[in-house]
Amino acid sequence: MGQKRHDQWLERHVKIIFVVVSLVFGRTVWAQIRYAISEEQKDGAAVGNVAKDLGIDHRTLKERGFRIVSTSGESMFSVNQNDGVLYVNGKLDREEVCERSTPCLINLKIALENPLEIHYVTVDVIDVNDHAPRFPDQEKHLEISETVLPGARFQLQAARDPDSGSNSVQTYRLSHTDYFRIEIKDRDEDGKVPILILQKPLDREITKGMKLQLTALDGGRPPKSGTMDIRIDVLDINDNAPVFTKEAYTVILNENTPVGTTIFRVNATDLDEGQNGEIVYSLGRDVTDKLRKLFNVNPITGEIVVTGLLDFEVKDKYEIDIQASDKGTVPLTTDKSIIIKIADVNDNAPQIEVTSFSSAVPEDSKPGTTVALISVSDLDSDINGRVTCSLPEDIPFKLMPSSQENTYSLVTTSSLDRETISRYDITLEAKDAGQPPLSSVKSITVWVSDVNDNSPEFSFSPYAFYVIENNVPGKSLFSVSASDKDIGENSVVSYQIWRDGVENKYTSFININSENGEIYALKSFDFETLKTFQFQVVASDSGSPSLSSNVTVNVFILDQNDNVPVILYPVSANGSAEGVEEIPRNVNAGHLVTKVRAYDADIGYNGWLLFSLQEVSEHSLFGLDRYTGQIRTLRSFTETDEAQHKLLILVKDNGNVSLSATATVIVKVVEPKEAFAASDVKNAVKDEEENDVTFYLIITLGSVSVLFVISIIVLIVMQCSKSTDYSSKYLQDTNYDGTLCHSIQYRSGDKRYMLVGPRMSIGSTIAPGSNRNTLVIPDRRRRDSGEVRNFKVSQDVSICLSCSVVKNISF
């Protein structure tokens, strides 16, 4: 307690030492004072009363200019001119002012004027323990080889403490370890230096390094301390060989693994470090060049990489040596055997082989006929090499397994028809049972060879041809054509006219080209003599035995305008037609004088006759009907009219080149009394005759109209029913003598015909060789089918000159 009070007194009071020297020279007085004060005093702390200690009246301090003059520490102190007290200016830190100097003295010079006095003040700054020891580095790194022997010394840097005396570093303390202890060496100005001493041998493989803590303590109460970490690394020597992490390596690898694939990685460890622990991998010295082409090892990572193509079918197992070496000055090496098993994958597609192949099979082959032998194979093994073979389902072939494995017979399953399918492109597919399955296909072509099993077939049956009369004998009229679905000799067709012994006068003047079916006429036809006829043609192939077929050919003769109109009335005599008619003078206008009748053996336009007046003495008296040939009076006769008139009548047909004839009518005008006796009877008979004709004409026209309507209805019904009956069906029309139009419509197969001609009675039938005229009426429904060959008939209107009605007929 007494010591503490003494220290406080020393801190708050000054030690005053007077040294007074009086120099009677300019009345200068010199004195020296010394104060002691602890460091870390706050700003404004009083050091001592300089005026009082020097015996100077404080009331004169300001007048005399009491102040601190230049000193080394004037910035740290200041004086009060009112009371003469010396104060601390700012914080007082001994370590900043004196650093390591002991003791720490600060000299001040204080001056007064009038009279001049100079006083020296020394302030002794006393140290306190305000700093802890501190090492230059927070951590110290030491590298010690595992070969260093115990007793080795390692000097460490000393800790620094700005405090002095007992407050500075006094001792060091090391954290617990069996390997090291600390020793302290005192080096005066350098202070106490710690030395680390090895006590036990080091083994890097057991202890790679350790971390210690060194503590420095000063002598303060309580003591302050500072620490430093010591990290010790044990340096390695190459005293350990590499060791693989596994005792044995076995790898299963799929075949066809891509080149560059890393299959696995070997790993070896070395307890050494640095170069001594760095491992390099390589293939063993005994590895063959063949293996080196298939595998390689990464020297750094130990990854084994595929460098060549692997194939299970070539080799299924490899054994290679891998060597691990460190990088020590004298490298240590360890070898390890690696077994690589190659696993089969489904990498081979099945192979198809065709043997004993018959490329052509006759179409009359029986079901079950062997066409080819098929064998399949697969280089893979087990399930990957199990192969099945199949065919498409839509062909008349199948595969029959044989007693030998993976062998099949390709046989037919049904009858073949070359004319339907002459060639089969058969795709054989072989598929293995691998996952995923692989397959391969192979195409073979089987041709069906021809057998003569088809007769020739005509393009149309029956044929219908139209031949214009007056044809040139020996010139081709038309041709028939037949085809045979067979090929080669079996399809070569020859033609002939069928002559079965039955008398057919028409086949005698018809001939046929046996090679191309061209038909020739040996004579010229006359429509007026022959209208139609038929015969049969036989087509035979060249097969063995030969097959044949026949067809009926209907020939229709077409009319030409080769007949001149014939005058029926007036009757011709000596090459000219001339008649005399007498009429009373008192007849009225419109009186029928006479009627010119004419006939043309041709039909259609060629038989359509028109009448015209070529010459007449008086045009105003007589008129001629263009179509009927009737001559009538145009007006009544007068006294001045002549008694005799001559009329020249021209009758011509409507052919492309018209043919004509003329008739002359002499009309005599007689007085009624003269003519009465003879003409009354004549006129009565004539009127009665005209009345009968008119009556019959009305009946005929009505019948024609009714029959025409019935014909149209029947034709429509027949067309709708699409009858294929080739028998002739007739629709008959009424006819009249003279030039009155008459016709018969009939149907043969798919064609309609109209026979037009004069003097045909109701109910007559068509007979070959008759003088009836024939026009064809094509069936519009079959016009575009191409099944009927015929000539176009240009005539489309039939007009009878003796009829008062014109019938238009469309073809």
Side-chain angles (χ1 to χ4, degrees), residues 186-406:
D186 194 352
R187 288 191 175 180
D188 298 333
E189 293 183 357
D190 292 337
K192 293 179 173 58
V193 178
I195 298 176
L196 194 65
I197 300 175
L198 179 65
Q199 298 184 118
K200 183 179 177 181
L202 298 176
D203 186 354
R204 196 204 67 81
E205 286 72 40
I206 298 176
T207 304
K208 295 182 180 180
M210 59 187 72
K211 188 174 183 180
L212 306 176
Q213 188 178 65
L214 182 63
T215 304
L217 300 171
D218 61 17
R221 296 183 180 180
K224 294 183 180 295
S225 63
T227 60
M228 178 180 68
D229 293 331
I230 301 174
R231 184 167 62 86
I232 299 174
D233 291 333
V234 181
L235 299 180
D236 180 58
I237 61 172
N238 193 20
D239 57 348
N240 292 280
V243 177
F244 284 92
T245 56
K246 291 185 178 181
E247 289 296 327
Y249 288 95
T250 300
V251 179
I252 298 177
L253 181 65
N254 289 335
E255 65 172 330
N256 292 343
T257 299
V259 174
T261 301
T262 300
I263 57 177
F264 69 100
R265 178 179 179 179
V266 296
N267 187 28
T269 59
D270 195 318
L271 296 176
D272 297 324
E273 68 173 4
Q275 295 287 334
N276 299 327
E278 292 185 13
I279 298 176
V280 177
Y281 301 94
S282 62
L283 295 176
R285 297 177 181 177
D286 295 334
V287 176
T288 62
D289 293 338
K290 185 177 181 179
L291 282 177
R292 291 179 186 273
K293 293 179 181 179
L294 296 178
F295 303 98
N296 194 14
V297 61
N298 189 305
I300 298 174
T301 64
E303 294 176 342
I304 296 179
V305 181
V306 177
T307 58
L309 296 177
L310 304 177
D311 192 350
F312 173 84
E313 288 70 36
V314 176
K315 191 171 184 179
D316 60 355
K317 181 179 178 181
Y318 297 94
E319 184 173 356
I320 59 176
D321 293 331
I322 302 297
Q323 188 177 80
S325 302
D326 59 30
K327 294 183 178 180
T329 305
V330 179
L332 299 179
T333 301
T334 302
D335 291 333
K336 181 64 66 175
S337 180
I338 310 298
I339 296 176
I340 301 176
K341 295 181 179 180
I342 307 302
D344 181 42
V345 296
N346 194 22
D347 61 338
N348 290 283
Q351 296 179 351
I352 303 173
E353 183 180 359
V354 180
T355 58
S356 302
F357 175 54
S358 299
S359 60
V361 180
E363 62 178 323
D364 60 350
S365 299
K366 296 181 179 179
T369 301
T370 300
V371 178
L373 294 179
I374 312 297
S375 60
V376 294
S377 61
D378 195 316
L379 295 177
D380 295 321
S381 60
D382 298 330
I383 193 171
N384 294 331
R386 193 175 303 163
V387 183
T388 58
C389 192
S390 62
L391 291 177
E393 297 181 356
D394 56 347
I395 59 174
F397 298 92
K398 68 177 181 179
L399 290 174
M400 295 291 293
S402 65
S403 59
Q404 187 176 355
E405 186 179 4
N406 292 336

Side-chain angles (χ1 to χ4, degrees), residues 21 92 126 140 143 175 263 323 387 398 417 446 723:
V21 179
L92 184 61
I126 300 172
K140 177 66 174 177
E143 292 182 345
S175 60
I263 57 177
Q323 188 177 80
V387 183
K398 68 177 181 179
D417 186 3
V446 177
S723 173

